[in-house]
Amino acid sequence: MASAPAQQPTLTVEQTRVVLSEVIQAFSVPENAARMDEARESACNDMGKMLQLVLPVATLIQQEVIKAYGFNNEGEGVLKFARLVKMYETQDPEIAAMSTKLKSLLLPPLSTPPIGGAITAS
């Protein structure tokens, strides 16, 4: 028996701020921080391995928070929440800042070439 498709939760800007704040806080819970550290160490800053190892852990941590706000407890719920945050980023600087902070928790820092670098014109 198939269940009816779940309605996408509709959150206001204020509610989105609260949920986003809770998601960010969830990453600092010692158990979750340890899970993320272990996944990052296993990935060795390799983007392909980050997608295989870190992203699933990050998705689970987010799911644990957002399910309380009506998002489904699968990867689809995280994607819907991400789309909602993206929509509000342009309208609300606080959400934009929190979104940037969340992304920094998920992605490895990008290495930049040294200034004055090794590239020379011939």
Side-chain angles (χ1 to χ4, degrees):
M1 182 169 139
S3 60
Q7 279 295 104
Q8 179 173 340
T10 304
L11 301 177
T12 64
V13 171
E14 293 78 19
Q15 290 169 321
T16 302
R17 275 191 220 123
V18 169
V19 178
L20 194 50
S21 176
E22 288 181 21
V23 167
I24 291 168
Q25 288 173 0
F27 281 92
S28 31
V29 170
E31 176 187 323
N32 292 338
R35 289 165 58 194
M36 287 294 289
D37 288 344
E38 183 180 329
R40 278 193 198 97
E41 286 174 20
S42 297
C44 300
N45 236 11
D46 177 286
M47 189 52 80
K49 288 183 180 178
M50 292 291 283
L51 293 172
Q52 292 175 331
L53 303 171
V54 177
L55 191 60
V57 173
T59 299
L60 289 172
I61 292 169
Q62 290 179 72
Q63 285 172 348
E64 291 167 9
V65 175
I66 66 173
K67 69 182 179 185
Y69 294 91
F71 292 90
N72 74 24
N73 199 21
E74 297 173 10
E76 183 184 338
V78 172
L79 291 174
K80 286 180 179 180
F81 179 66
R83 281 193 290 264
L84 186 67
V85 168
K86 184 85 174 151
M87 180 182 76
Y88 284 139
E89 278 179 353
T90 58
Q91 301 171 27
D92 188 82
E94 190 176 341
I95 287 177
M98 285 192 286
S99 177
T100 299
K101 180 172 175 120
L102 179 60
K103 288 174 192 167
S104 76
L105 295 170
L106 305 178
L107 300 173
L110 297 176
S111 57
T112 56
I115 297 177
I119 301 174
T120 57
S122 315

